[in-house]
Amino acid sequence: MAHFDENAKPFSNRWLDDRLAINTVKKVLSTEYWIPKNINFLWAMGMVLAATFGLLVVSGIFLLMYYKPDINMAFDSVNYTIMTEVGYGWLWRHIHGVAASLVFLIIYIHMLTGIYYSSYKRGREMIWLSGMLLFIAFSAEAFSGYMLPWGQMSYWAGMVITNLFEAGSLELTGLVEWIRGDYVPGDAFLLRFFTLHVLLIPLVIMGLIVFHFATLRIPHVNNQDGEDIDFDEAARLYKEGNKKESKVIPFNPVFLSKDVFVLGIYFILFFYLVFYHFDFAMDPVNFDPADGLKTPPHIYPEWYFLWSYEILRPFPKDPGLIAFGIAQIAFFLLPWIDRSPNVAPAHKRGLFFWWFWILVLDMIALTVLGKLPPEGIYNTLGTISAIIFLLLGPALILITKLEKKL
Amino acid sequence: MRELKILAVVVFFALLTYYGVEPYAHSVMHKDVEGYNFTYDGTADIQEATEALEEAQASGRNVAKAQARLEVKKAFWSEVDKIAKIPGNVANGQAVFGTCLACHNGAGVNMGGVIPPNLDHAGALYDKRYLIAVIKDPAMASNVDHKYENTMMHPMGSVTAMVSDPQQIADVVAYMLAKKAGDVTPKAAYEEACARCHAMRYSKITQLGETPSFTDEKDELAYKIKVLQEQELVEAYMGKLPPDLSMIIRARSTHFLETFVENPQSQLEGTSMPRVGLSQAGYDKVHEYLTEIGDPSKKHREALGPWVIGFFVIFSILAYLWKKHHWRDLH
Ligand code: HEM
């Protein structure tokens, strides 16, 4: 048995430290969690994501108090009860909708930052993989949430996406019906996606966020120059008071103060969108109640799924599904497709720099084309962009094999 | 500064994506329809008929029919134009208006598909030329003449036989503009212009008008049956039950709604919804009601927004000072 100080006042610092080692925990997780000094605001995106997820949970709980998961009541419970009768219901709904959209914008920025600075390899593979799992979990969360208002787009996007499980010419209609719980999306469908959205997936996400944070602790975050820092040495310098010479800063309070400032700026943008420009996050088509007899003229997913939708669409059924499948797992493989020994920002990595910007532009092109009707020139451009995306994988292997060690 | 440069790059690509999936994609998906500021002089109808004729000529089929239709349209709207120039006599118009009351009597009885609307604010809601047109030939005025071989089959068609003299038409229109143009509430505007076809369940309006409250469940059910029966008649008349408009303000763009109400054919070719003939002022009232019911938080948003954003501006300034304090001796 450890030594306990009998005179410590209950719940005093000493008393708690004897029992919970709070001083050690505080050091490990905050005051002596060393962060490189040489980083920019892009390294605050993780915190921005965590905060946005927090907002999603809180606003979601308020919506849950009035939402009715029943195909005859869902639409009106959202559009009438919450928007009209519940005090500030509209505020929670718009916060939830805008946050669901912005969280993906930030996730993409966060991922592309990781790619630009080579933060996914040489010891950081687990950070990357846990991040990708978060991306998948968030995608599932967003899709299931989109079903809940039971508008036209909920219904038809639900129809189209679940149809993918038919797996092309394998014609697994039984699987599709099993997923839907019916021949077409209906009450069983809505209720199960509701359960996933409000219970299971959020739990998974919370677990994954903890895991993602844990994967960061030992490799530490990367920095703007990809420099391999000796954290013990740098921490020693810092603690001795040589703050200028030291290459690191403690997470709390030094890095945190910057995170909080970035959060402040982000929330100005966030609430500007919530109050004055929420429509980008709430498709007008979904304000028509679901009608299984009336197919909307254009069916498209939310913007953050468009790039992978556009990899599916231009090809014939089976090749399209295979391409789509590749797109879903491609980013998981990144740490192994990249064969270069260098951890450095893209502008120091020769051809990789060009590869990175082609990736960004191609994904934006796919996103825009995914929304446009697949006709004429848009169809051609869509096919080209999708092929470029698929070729970027092999191209990366080649480029990085040729890359010289810095 | 490096951070600002990075921010500029991030913002640029975010805005590029936004531009592509929102304004640009929508401009491609939705056809651009020209509006006519809620004036009705036949320009749109004649242009439609001209295009139909060109199409017929290109395909070589039904050319004579398309040609005839164009001529009829031209003749009709030039007649309307002539009547619009005749000065109307309000007192004489009042007498003619009695004919209208035979149907527009507020009795709530379905006539040929719909309950004729209350005309209490007709002068404030409808455009003058449109009123002339609707008395002269309701099917032509509403641009649904393609549905009727003979105007008499339109539910209000028999009016053409009852009030056919141009002077009479000018008189009754002058009467409505003078005496049936009082202040109209947004709700009344909706009830008179749209509610005979479109229910609005978020404000308890059906094709029978505002739903009363009942204490006895039997009465409530009996009333529901009456509503269903009325809806069946509207459905039989229109080919489908017109959609409930509770959320339409968020389901369609402002521009779509304006141009659609002005001339439904322009946005949905072949639709059975007739043109309603609202003036700009009349439409504004209807639009106000659609907003009131479908987007009631508008004024709360405008009131609360500046406070929340102001809070985060102050928050950011304080956070910046805090950051400066901690980072001051790091470099
Ligand atoms: C939405 C949930 C997510 C949350 C809450 C989150 C949170 C964080 C936080 C707080 C950090 C440390 C600070 C920073 O570098 O930004 C971080 C780092 C990182 N995250 Fe995430 N993240 C999420 C999703 C993702 C995704 C989808 C990926 C990519 C697959 C990813 C990959 C990374 C990588 C590679 C790092 C290390 C960056 C570096 O070393 O410079 N994360 N994350």
Side-chain angles (χ1 to χ4, degrees), chain A residues 43 46 110-111 119 127-128 131-132 134 138 212-213 216 221-222:
Chain A
W43 271 268
H110 188 63
M111 283 175 74
S119 308
I127 310 180
W128 181 257
M132 276 308 294
L134 271 170
F138 264 89
H212 191 57
F213 284 13
L216 279 159
V221 295
N222 197 3

Side-chain angles (χ1 to χ4, degrees), chain A residues 137-263:
Chain A
F138 264 89
S139 302
E141 180 71 357
F143 175 73
S144 55
Y146 202 50
M147 299 299 108
L148 303 188
W150 209 242
Q152 271 291 68
M153 220 40 135
S154 306
Y155 184 91
W156 289 98
M159 182 81 106
V160 170
I161 300 296
T162 44
N163 262 338
L164 294 180
F165 290 88
E166 220 178 272
S169 27
L170 292 182
E171 300 198 353
L172 305 178
T173 41
L175 178 62
V176 175
E177 281 160 23
W178 180 75
I179 291 171
R180 289 182 188 155
D182 203 340
Y183 298 110
V184 289
D187 230 14
F189 178 91
L190 179 59
L191 207 50
R192 66 183 55 180
F193 277 92
F194 169 72
T195 315
L196 293 176
H197 184 76
V198 305
L199 182 68
L200 187 59
I201 305 174
L203 285 181
V204 169
I205 289 178
M206 288 175 200
L208 283 172
I209 290 179
V210 172
F211 181 49
H212 191 57
F213 284 13
T215 59
L216 279 159
R217 188 62 186 81
I218 290 171
H220 286 93
V221 295
N222 197 3
N223 56 72
Q224 280 194 102
D225 295 317
E227 189 184 345
D228 194 1
I229 296 172
D230 180 346
F231 279 87
D232 295 332
E233 169 62 13
R236 192 180 56 77
L237 276 175
Y238 189 92
K239 283 201 272 189
E240 280 168 1
N242 293 325
K243 295 186 182 176
K244 283 201 177 60
E245 290 76 50
S246 176
K247 288 182 174 161
V248 299
I249 47 176
F251 172 72
N252 184 11
V254 182
F255 186 59
L256 192 62
S257 66
K258 186 167 173 179
D259 265 352
V260 170
F261 169 61
V262 175
L263 273 177

Side-chain angles (χ1 to χ4, degrees), chain A residues 33 39 42-51 53 103 107-108 110-111 113-115 117 119-120 124 127-136 138 205 209 212-213 216 220-223 255 259 331:
Chain A
Y33 175 14
I39 58 181
L42 291 172
W43 271 268
M45 291 303 126
M47 272 309 187
V48 170
L49 281 172
F53 179 66
V103 90
I107 285 182
Y108 285 130
H110 188 63
M111 283 175 74
T113 306
I115 299 179
Y117 292 104
S119 308
Y120 49 84
R124 295 197 178 87
I127 310 180
W128 181 257
L129 288 185
S130 60
M132 276 308 294
L133 289 177
L134 271 170
F135 178 70
I136 302 292
F138 264 89
I205 289 178
I209 290 179
H212 191 57
F213 284 13
L216 279 159
H220 286 93
V221 295
N222 197 3
N223 56 72
F255 186 59
D259 265 352
F331 284 104

Side-chain angles (χ1 to χ4, degrees), chain A residues 273-342:
Chain A
L273 295 174
V274 165
F275 285 103
Y276 302 106
H277 208 101
F278 46 85
D279 358 354
F280 82 98
M282 312 177 102
D283 200 282
V285 182
N286 224 19
F287 287 95
D288 277 328
D291 181 350
L293 299 175
K294 189 177 164 201
T295 323
H298 307 279
I299 302 180
Y300 44 81
E302 286 288 82
W303 72 267
Y304 36 85
F305 295 138
L306 288 168
W307 67 271
S308 55
Y309 183 59
E310 187 60 13
I311 290 175
L312 170 82
R313 207 167 56 160
F315 302 112
K317 209 168 180 185
D318 288 342
L321 272 170
I322 294 170
F324 181 70
I326 293 174
Q328 302 310 305
I329 57 163
F331 284 104
F332 274 101
L333 303 178
L334 199 57
W336 293 278
I337 299 180
D338 182 339
R339 318 292 301 181
S340 132
N342 298 320

Side-chain angles (χ1 to χ4, degrees), chain B residues 287-307:
Chain B
H287 187 91
E288 196 179 327
Y289 193 62
L290 296 177
T291 310
E292 200 178 304
I293 301 301
D295 189 16
S297 66
K298 202 167 177 208
K299 51 182 188 298
H300 304 294
R301 293 197 302 264
E302 279 155 13
L304 187 60
W307 292 97

